[in-house]
Amino acid sequence: MDELRDLLARAAELAADHRASLADRPVARAVDHAALRGAFGGALAKDPTPPAAVLEELARAAEPGLVATAGPRFFGFVVGGALPAATAADVLATGWDQNGFNAVLSPAAAAAEAVAGDWLKDLLGIPATASAGFVTGGQAANTVGLAAARHHVLAEAGWDVERDGLAGAPRVRVVASEERHATVDRALRLLGFGTRAVEPVKAGPQGAVDVDDLARKVQDGPTIVCLQAGNVNTGACDDIRAARAVAKNTWIHVDGAFGLWAAANPKTASLLDGVELADSWACDGHKWLNVPYDSGFVFCARPEVHAEAIAYRAAYLTGAGQVSGMGDLTLESSRRARGFAVWAALRELGRDGVAELVDRCCRLARRFAGTLAEGGAEIGNDVVLNQVLVSFGDDARTDAVIERVQLDGTCWLGGTTWRGRRYLRISVSGWTTTEADVDRSAAAILRLAAHRPQ
Ligand SMILES: *Cc1c(COP(=O)(O)O)cnc(C)c1O
């Protein structure tokens, strides 16, 4: 047992060293992928290796390929860095090695998820009576939410989709914004609807759904409406209250992977006015809540529908098949007890801390946009949340700036195409980012944009 104690202590030391290096190390650097793979070794050795040696070997091999996504100047995708209490809780969850399938396998995991689920609903403006499933991320949350939608709209039409499948079923209309996230399409594919079932709804200039067009697309019959809180390019949120008014007898699913957190900050909560009127919600923990991967949440206004769509039964599984069974609300059966880290993050921040984290990221996004605009860049969106689109005139120049920023290492961001034009895409989602980080990054971006190669 002393060996395990030493190993865990060493792993914690290595992880803490990495975190301590994040503010100063290049955010990303050129990687020799072949060399990286080489460092992990060739064929599997025949003989065992002592655990302590394995750990050192792993740390050495991985080092050149680690990206400072958890650091203060990583603005790519929508990525946070895990909070201290959440990181430590996740280490503990790994050490405890609990199976989060149900309350028989881990009463502690079940209790933590029940409490954290209630806290999340409260923060995100979701009815207290909703179910909460702790899934792997936004993709899984969209898939489970849309499976519940599929169950419900077909049951209302007298069809048992779990028993009879979709062949011969009444046609389900899926009315979804043309600005929906690609994971919604993948969920629809996996659920057997096919992407052709989608009736696209026009989006307005910032990417929020055009409610008049939505009203035109909603008809009688089984209908699922997919809305979005937090467009991945602009941060725009659909008007859920207005959408509900024109889509009364439908199932409304809200993909709020990061945007749902706007509800937890009084200054941005109006973006999510009417959020409680939806039927299912998808949200991520590993983005704006800054908990370790992989962590997402799916909520359903009708817990029994959630469980009927997802649960399975087997004679040997004590505790399964109940609405309260955690495994009845997620696609995974055996799984890591990811609720501990979520509980720890919410406990560390408290209600005010969550609001402040969201508010700070929004404020820093506006500061980024302001500084870049002063330096001559063009801002391509209304900065309502934590997302900023930046252009330097023509697409070729913008792409060149993206490439230079990525090689420079001061900060990291990606590129995107929005309304036919290329943009740098900035997402401020990490808890460690400060004004100084934003100023330093903006200065680097402007310096690299001014540089004209021969
Ligand atoms: C990130 C994101 C997803 C996918 O979430 P994962 O956690 O990466 O699976 C879905 N929808 C939106 C709007 C997102 O931003």
Side-chain angles (χ1 to χ4, degrees), residues 137-139 142 181 183 228 230 232 255 257-258 284 286-287:
Q139 172 71 73
N142 280 330
H181 194 268
T183 51
Q228 181 168 258
V232 284
D255 173 7
F258 67 94
D284 263 322
H286 54 215
K287 287 179 179 171

Side-chain angles (χ1 to χ4, degrees), residues 417-428:
T417 301
W418 171 249
R419 300 290 146 103
R421 286 186 64 190
R422 296 290 295 159
Y423 288 96
L424 285 71
R425 178 172 169 278
I426 293 170
S427 175
V428 187

Side-chain angles (χ1 to χ4, degrees), residues 263-285:
N265 170 22
K267 291 187 205 157
T268 48
S270 63
L271 293 171
L272 288 181
D273 179 43
V275 64
E276 71 283 359
L277 303 173
D279 299 286
S280 54
W281 302 262
C283 189
D284 263 322

Side-chain angles (χ1 to χ4, degrees), residues 123 264 345-346 348-360:
L123 287 168
L346 294 174
E348 177 179 341
L349 293 172
R351 178 186 298 280
D352 288 352
V354 173
E356 205 277 322
L357 169 62
V358 173
D359 195 53
R360 177 165 20 112

Side-chain angles (χ1 to χ4, degrees), residues 224-276:
I224 299 169
V225 174
C226 299
L227 299 180
Q228 181 168 258
N231 178 285
V232 284
N233 285 313
T234 64
C237 298
D238 292 344
D239 184 338
I240 302 172
R241 186 177 299 285
R244 176 47 95 195
V246 300
K248 287 202 174 68
N249 299 312
T250 67
W251 182 286
I252 294 185
H253 173 75
V254 176
D255 173 7
F258 67 94
L260 215 49
W261 288 99
N265 170 22
K267 291 187 205 157
T268 48
S270 63
L271 293 171
L272 288 181
D273 179 43
V275 64
E276 71 283 359

